[in-house]
Amino acid sequence: MAEERTGEAIGKPVSNERQTDLSKLRLLVALDALLRENSVSRAASSVGLQPSAMSRLLGQLREDYADPLFLRTGHGLRPTPLAESLRLRVRALAAETEALLDARSNASAPTATGHAGWGGQALTDAPPLAVRPSRLLEGEPAPEQFAAKLAEIGDDAAPERRLARCIATVGTGAGRSRPLSEEEAEDALAIILAGEADPVQIGALMTVLHYRGPTAVEVAGFVRAMRRHIGAIVPGSGIADLDWPCYLSPKLKTAPWFLHAARLVADAGHRVVLHGSYGEEGQERHKLEVAASTAGIPVCTSIAAAKAALGSAGIAYLPLSAFAPQVYRLLGLYRLMEMRMPLNAAIHLINPMGGRASLLGVANPSSRTLSRDIALLLETRELTILGNTRDHAEFTPYRQTPLFRLVGGEPSDLIIPAKIAPPAEARTGLSSREYWQAVWTGAARDQRAETTIVTTAAAALLSLRNHDDYEAACETARGLWNNRSRRMA
């Protein structure tokens, strides 16, 4: 009967529950190739398959793991956190498989037992066939040799050597490089923040990560290094309720309406921490400090000062240049490289005061999912990402706005439809700063600005779980706006 059942199964598709060991191995080899190449076509070529066959294997892997495993970005496929967690184990299995097959092919052929009397010592002997190794450049070590060389640089090596190991790990090319683990990324950035890195090393690490695209695991490691460097308060410690990063580009010339929204949230009894910067150069580089001070938000230069301000005023603004100058200067390298570094994603999740919820602004679709993956690795449970602003959370009510959220540690997204935009208000005779102040005091009426403030405050209330319904959050925010204290500092 067993033989009959086996015969019946021949030629039929094997279900996920009854996959053979051979088919499972095929899937793991495919996963290893995808993790190495970050491309379906290149992965297929590396194992001798058609791209369509590799796509089918990827679909089966996604079904088996109940996870997308790879997300499409402008830099190719980006592994999800689950795929990253499997990388080293899958690579070890593939390497062992390759080693076994190499051992088999190099085994000596069996010697014939019979002979015809012609045996004897050879008078001449030719050297082995001269060939160039198929996967080596001249004088280049094999991937296995390269990995062994990096492994010789232990965790107790000098900082410069450890950082060099990290650069080589991510920057040596297809087949030899891999992403950093969370611990490696944390150690690399800790070396830089401690001032123990050569400037060439800093540029090399940031460039190779930017070119390939950082993984969520790497950025999570950077965040942990930043938190340790500044002495951040442990998230959920009860010191702060809402973390609100605001790292504005100097090219942004609009007024900071989100500061008024933050004041409304603080007036509702929530402790709000804003932290950010406005570039390094130009007359307006202190724009956020000036605006916060004008609005009566305490400007704090340390974690301790912010803690005191939360106790007395319920709101605080921390300039990055004051509480994390080394991080501030690292971000300032943009002027030398004209590219955004992986640190730009990390800084938004630094959460210096340990707020239980976070409100972020991320415009790029792939960066939104990356930010949420990072937050999950950092065990963030309450998060709202506004999907139409970059570097600061400010609602744009006259455009459709996606809200990427974590609610109790689980993804929960919303799409907020666009409102009909009213006519623009004239600002005759007032500077941008004066008009921004006048809207708060009521000296100027601007429906567009007021709606921006109210909807931004509503998004913050959603992140705090003050409301589970967006419209209800807007009603609460509108009430806070109507009953605000109209005094400016």
Side-chain angles (χ1 to χ4, degrees), residues 34 38-40 58 62 70-73 75-79:
L34 289 164
N38 291 331
S39 163
V40 170
L58 176 56
R62 284 170 166 164
F70 296 90
L71 302 174
R72 295 190 182 277
T73 72
H75 297 285
L77 298 180
R78 189 185 78 225

Side-chain angles (χ1 to χ4, degrees), residues 305-338:
K307 184 176 180 180
L310 289 178
S312 59
I315 189 169
Y317 172 66
L318 276 163
L320 182 67
S321 58
F323 79 95
Q326 183 79 336
V327 178
Y328 177 73
R329 291 302 182 191
L330 273 175
L331 293 178
L333 293 178
Y334 176 89
R335 293 182 295 110
L336 297 178
M337 297 191 248
E338 282 296 325

Side-chain angles (χ1 to χ4, degrees), residues 332-403:
L333 293 178
Y334 176 89
R335 293 182 295 110
L336 297 178
M337 297 191 248
E338 282 296 325
M339 68 178 193
R340 289 169 66 86
M341 294 179 290
L343 301 180
N344 289 95
I347 193 63
H348 289 81
L349 292 158
I350 192 172
N351 195 1
M353 302 303 296
R356 63 178 177 85
S358 295
L359 182 66
L360 280 63
V362 181
N364 186 279
S366 63
S367 297
R368 296 174 205 151
T369 56
L370 177 66
S371 295
R372 185 160 60 182
D373 287 343
I374 299 164
L376 284 168
L377 289 170
L378 296 169
E379 299 179 352
T380 301
R381 296 186 59 78
E382 309 297 335
L383 171 74
T384 297
I385 300 174
L386 302 186
N388 53 14
T389 56
R390 190 182 82 173
D391 299 333
H392 70 293
E394 183 175 281
F395 214 90
T396 51
Y398 306 112
R399 287 188 294 173
Q400 179 175 279
T401 304
L403 300 184

Side-chain angles (χ1 to χ4, degrees), residues 435-487:
Y435 191 78
W436 174 77
Q437 293 175 260
V439 169
W440 177 268
T441 62
R445 295 299 305 273
D446 187 327
Q447 187 178 346
R448 284 173 173 257
E450 292 178 16
T451 303
T452 296
I453 295 165
V454 167
T455 52
T456 301
L461 295 174
L462 275 180
S463 190
L464 286 163
R465 301 287 296 276
N466 185 266
H467 284 285
D468 290 327
D469 178 78
Y470 172 74
E471 294 301 329
C474 283
E475 289 182 16
T476 298
R478 174 61 65 180
L480 292 168
W481 173 255
N482 292 335
N483 296 316
R484 70 192 184 281
S485 170
R486 299 176 181 238
R487 181 181 60 83

Side-chain angles (χ1 to χ4, degrees), residues 89-408:
R89 295 172 62 190
V90 171
R91 178 84 287 267
L93 175 64
E96 179 64 16
T97 302
E98 293 166 0
L100 287 172
L101 291 174
D102 287 343
R104 183 185 65 182
S105 63
N106 293 331
S108 300
T111 304
T113 55
H115 62 84
W118 296 100
Q121 186 173 359
L123 301 178
T124 59
D125 195 10
L129 178 67
V131 296
R132 175 176 177 170
S134 60
R135 59 179 179 179
L136 297 181
L137 298 175
E138 297 294 343
E140 183 181 16
E144 294 80 4
Q145 295 170 313
F146 189 80
K149 180 180 178 181
L150 291 184
E152 293 175 359
I153 305 175
D155 294 337
D156 58 348
E160 185 176 307
R161 292 271 288 159
R162 300 203 313 274
L163 189 53
R165 179 182 63 186
C166 290
I167 296 168
T169 296
V170 298
T172 52
R176 295 184 300 276
S177 64
R178 64 166 175 83
L180 299 175
S181 68
E182 190 170 325
E183 293 75 16
E184 289 170 331
E186 181 177 355
D187 185 51
L189 188 59
I191 290 169
I192 294 172
L193 294 178
E196 298 175 323
D198 185 275
V200 173
Q201 289 183 307
I202 297 173
L205 180 62
M206 294 302 140
T207 300
V208 295
L209 287 175
H210 172 79
Y211 181 77
R212 189 210 63 206
T215 67
V217 172
E218 289 168 333
V219 180
F222 290 159
V223 174
R224 295 193 189 279
M226 289 181 179
R227 288 179 176 177
R228 185 151 51 93
H229 177 72
I230 66 170
I233 294 173
V234 177
S237 59
I239 302 298
D241 295 318
L242 182 64
D243 181 68
W244 197 323
C246 41
Y247 293 85
L248 279 63
S249 166
K251 298 176 183 177
L252 183 70
K253 300 303 180 184
T254 59
W257 301 113
F258 65 92
L259 288 181
H260 290 335
R263 296 176 71 184
L264 296 183
V265 178
D267 287 344
H270 302 288
R271 292 159 298 178
V272 180
V273 176
L274 301 115
H275 54 95
S277 66
Y278 193 71
E280 281 192 308
E281 295 182 333
Q283 292 182 340
E284 295 188 348
R285 65 182 182 276
H286 301 301
K287 178 177 181 177
L288 287 179
E289 292 98 304
V290 171
S293 180
T294 301
I297 299 173
V299 178
C300 305
T301 59
S302 67
I303 301 291
K307 184 176 180 180
L310 289 178
S312 59
I315 189 169
Y317 172 66
L318 276 163
L320 182 67
S321 58
F323 79 95
Q326 183 79 336
V327 178
Y328 177 73
R329 291 302 182 191
L330 273 175
L331 293 178
L333 293 178
Y334 176 89
R335 293 182 295 110
L336 297 178
M337 297 191 248
E338 282 296 325
M339 68 178 193
R340 289 169 66 86
M341 294 179 290
L343 301 180
N344 289 95
I347 193 63
H348 289 81
L349 292 158
I350 192 172
N351 195 1
M353 302 303 296
R356 63 178 177 85
S358 295
L359 182 66
L360 280 63
V362 181
N364 186 279
S366 63
S367 297
R368 296 174 205 151
T369 56
L370 177 66
S371 295
R372 185 160 60 182
D373 287 343
I374 299 164
L376 284 168
L377 289 170
L378 296 169
E379 299 179 352
T380 301
R381 296 186 59 78
E382 309 297 335
L383 171 74
T384 297
I385 300 174
L386 302 186
N388 53 14
T389 56
R390 190 182 82 173
D391 299 333
H392 70 293
E394 183 175 281
F395 214 90
T396 51
Y398 306 112
R399 287 188 294 173
Q400 179 175 279
T401 304
L403 300 184
F404 290 75
R405 306 171 65 208
L406 287 176
V407 179

Side-chain angles (χ1 to χ4, degrees), residues 28-67:
L28 292 176
V29 170
L31 178 57
D32 174 67
L34 289 164
L35 286 167
R36 281 189 288 106
E37 302 293 346
N38 291 331
S39 163
V40 170
S41 58
R42 291 198 303 269
S45 176
S46 71
V47 295
L49 293 176
Q50 293 296 321
S52 58
M54 182 60 71
S55 294
R56 287 193 295 271
L57 292 174
L58 176 56
Q60 190 170 347
L61 283 163
R62 284 170 166 164
E63 182 179 346
D64 288 350
Y65 282 106
D67 186 88

